[in-house]
Amino acid sequence: SALAPLPATRAEASAVGDVVLLGADACEEMLRDALAKQRRWRSLHLACHGLVDTERPTLSSLALTATDEEDGFLTALDVSRMEIPADLAVLSACETAKGKIVKGEGIVGLTRAFMFAGAPRVICSLWKVDDEATQALMIKFYELWNPKDGKKGLGAAAALKKAQEYVR
């Protein structure tokens, strides 16, 4: 079934990103190319649909743009094979923190895949999120965490808490 449009994600990505991939450019190949252009990124922000597969957590995915070569689903397995040189990965999508608890491994899913790929911190969600509320939350988070005026921002946890209070 087709995924419903998320109109607020375009404004969200444009407001928080320095390098923004929209529409046809928001595919796996362009994401890989963009990530390779810098040695280290402050953050990688993905605003899209999150699809959880609790039985096969390595197939949980983020919906990107499909191309002739790619299906448009960036799976946890795909991510774990990538290099993501970012201090923080923000998965601004529904239920991206969910996965499967595997004995001796912990929770297997998107969060673990991003950490395995090189992001030491991941912001993700345990529930379905509203498109417009998420846009407001993320814009406020980045204003507090990574201010554009050059001032030192808050730590990620403090910025997220204040952004949540603001949206509430």
Side-chain angles (χ1 to χ4, degrees):
S1 70
L3 297 171
L6 296 171
T9 56
R10 179 175 286 269
E12 177 184 324
S14 298
V16 305
D18 297 327
V19 176
V20 181
L21 304 176
L22 301 170
D25 289 342
C27 65
E28 284 184 55
E29 182 183 358
M30 295 293 276
L31 173 61
R32 287 184 209 305
D33 289 351
L35 283 169
K37 287 187 174 143
Q38 274 183 221
R39 215 179 109 260
R40 191 94 193 141
W41 292 89
R42 178 117 163 99
S43 70
L44 166 63
H45 184 92
L46 296 161
C48 55
H49 279 289
L51 305 159
V52 179
D53 188 326
T54 51
E55 289 308 305
R56 298 167 303 173
T58 57
L59 297 182
S60 291
S61 62
L62 297 169
L64 303 182
T65 300
T67 65
D68 291 341
E69 296 82 32
E70 303 162 355
D71 64 7
F73 296 100
L74 181 67
T75 67
L77 189 59
D78 295 333
V79 171
S80 67
R81 293 175 175 158
M82 294 171 70
E83 267 190 58
I84 299 182
D87 296 332
L88 173 69
V90 179
L91 311 183
S92 183
C94 292
E95 303 181 319
T96 50
K98 289 188 172 179
K100 183 175 186 173
I101 298 172
V102 177
K103 192 172 183 167
E105 290 293 324
I107 297 174
V108 175
L110 285 164
T111 307
R112 176 187 219 119
F114 277 88
M115 294 179 96
F116 187 80
R121 296 175 295 167
V122 180
I123 291 178
C124 48
S125 172
L126 280 167
W127 47 83
K128 295 200 178 291
V129 294
D130 176 78
D131 189 32
E132 288 179 16
T134 302
Q135 174 193 357
L137 176 73
M138 289 293 110
I139 289 172
K140 182 52 101 176
F141 167 76
Y142 279 93
E143 284 173 7
L144 297 166
W145 179 68
N146 194 26
K148 297 225 187 280
D149 62 9
K151 289 184 182 155
K152 185 169 175 15
L154 298 173
L160 184 59
K161 185 175 191 287
K162 281 199 180 295
Q164 288 169 326
E165 290 166 0
Y166 169 81
V167 171
R168 249 186 240 121

